[in-house]
Amino acid sequence: MRRLLAAALFVLTLVPPAAGAQVDPPPVRIGILQASDAWSHRLAVDGFLHGMAESGWRDRIVVPDGARITLDAPLTPDTMQAAARRLTSRVDLDLILSLGTAASRALLAEDGGAPVLALDVVNPGQAGLVGGERHRNRANFAVLQLTRQWNDMFHLFHEVVNIRRLGAMVAEHENGPIVTKLREVARDGGFQLELYRGMDGAPDACETALRSLLATHIDAFVIPSLGCFDPDTPGSAALLEALADRRVATLAFEGTPLVRHGALLGPSATAAERAGAKAAQMAISILGGAPPGSLETEMTFAPSVAVNLATAARLGIDVPMDLLLAVDQVFLSRGMQPKTDDRGAAAPSHPRALATATAHSGL
């Protein structure tokens, strides 16, 4: 009897599934490397997952244990390289996402491992992530390039504010893509750039930096991807209030979350969704066997803008009507505390509805 049962089971393993039977697609195992838990990294990952879901791949994505690595400050090149090596040495990954310049550089320097898709890199060319001998030797590495996104956003900010002196915070020895971009826009816009180079991860580093920058009489400030400005962090509201009290206009790298809570201007959430859709298509192509080097990696689109009209009124800034008709999100209040939803805070994105909401705001 046992022999008959064993023989029957053996035969069943040889029989193909019946026609029309549903076979679940295999899981896609993804690793993630990021230098910090910056909002921009979170937005990039969320946008990517949204894009994968729109393409029907969301339920297939699995991040194995230990395959998402987020490093804490202070960050050193050695710790980042060691983290990159941990991921590239794994044999259970189908794709690695790198978030930010530091993580992408570290993964580019490694040999072998799963294909790498780099996201949330401000200036890939300046960072050495596109072109050059190293990139050509790393055939399974691709970086999403959002062409001119920050150039256009900075110029738009300057058009609204008419900046005279722009303040920004960077690490002690930072001379990478972000600093290069800031210097470019300051030169093009004809205004002074004030860099505070003391961001060392200390608890009071943001307050110290702001005091130093305000002493230089800045009239505009770039809100960086730092935890002290996270709307959920105690004290972040006070930092935004201090800037508003000194009539300093703010451009938020992370856009919508901070514009909702009081920043003047920033990229809207739709920018992350658009970039995420592009990143998802790149990932699907790579997972389907396409060489990363063969993909179209550049993406150009007009800035997706969020603006806070209450902040503009407080600063005495008259936002041009042509901008108001083009923005994706407009907030009519300064909600410094996190909200559970946006009802009553944001007008619809359709230009006509947006214009109507603006007219009724009294601003």
Side-chain angles (χ1 to χ4, degrees), residues 120-199:
D120 197 29
V121 180
V122 174
N123 191 333
Q126 173 69 23
L129 297 174
V130 295
E133 191 64 28
R134 176 177 291 182
H135 183 255
R136 283 191 291 270
N137 291 338
R138 190 77 156 91
N140 65 343
F141 182 95
V143 55
L144 175 60
Q145 303 180 65
L146 303 180
T147 307
R148 293 194 55 83
Q149 179 190 16
W150 277 107
N151 296 62
D152 294 339
M153 186 61 67
F154 273 118
H155 286 300
L156 181 62
F157 186 47
H158 183 40
E159 178 184 338
V160 172
V161 177
N162 191 23
I163 303 168
R164 296 186 302 276
R165 195 176 294 267
L166 176 68
M169 303 173 179
V170 295
E172 183 68 33
H173 303 292
E174 175 64 57
N175 282 302
I178 292 178
V179 172
T180 299
K181 185 64 63 182
L182 288 169
R183 285 176 173 154
E184 285 177 359
V185 297
R187 182 185 65 246
D188 294 345
F191 54 82
Q192 181 69 32
L193 176 63
E194 296 289 346
L195 290 178
Y196 178 85
R197 290 184 171 278
M199 301 311 295

Side-chain angles (χ1 to χ4, degrees), residues 283-322:
I284 291 169
S285 295
I286 293 171
L287 294 167
S294 68
L295 302 179
E296 175 57 51
T297 62
E298 293 190 12
M299 180 181 184
T300 302
F301 57 85
S304 299
V305 182
V307 64
N308 192 309
L309 292 183
T311 299
R314 182 172 178 178
L315 298 175
I317 293 174
D318 187 12
V319 180
M321 182 56 69
D322 58 345

Side-chain angles (χ1 to χ4, degrees), residues 25-99:
V28 175
R29 297 157 300 182
I30 291 181
I32 302 174
L33 178 63
Q34 54 195 75
S36 67
D37 191 28
W39 303 329
S40 60
H41 297 345
R42 283 184 247 162
L43 289 173
V45 172
D46 289 346
F48 170 76
L49 293 177
H50 178 76
M52 295 295 280
E54 290 292 303
S55 298
W57 283 62
R58 179 64 183 91
D59 293 338
R60 296 177 57 183
I61 296 176
V62 175
V63 180
D65 290 342
R68 180 163 192 170
I69 301 176
T70 303
L71 299 177
D72 297 322
L75 184 68
T76 68
D78 288 342
T79 56
M80 178 56 78
Q81 204 61 54
R85 195 165 298 120
R86 281 165 54 193
L87 286 182
T88 56
S89 64
R90 295 181 65 139
V91 297
D92 62 337
L93 298 179
D94 301 303
L95 181 71
I96 299 173
L97 296 182
S98 65
L99 283 301

Side-chain angles (χ1 to χ4, degrees), residues 194-213:
E194 296 289 346
L195 290 178
Y196 178 85
R197 290 184 171 278
M199 301 311 295
D200 55 4
D204 60 347
C206 277
E207 293 181 20
T208 301
L210 273 185
R211 282 195 295 269
S212 177
L213 289 171

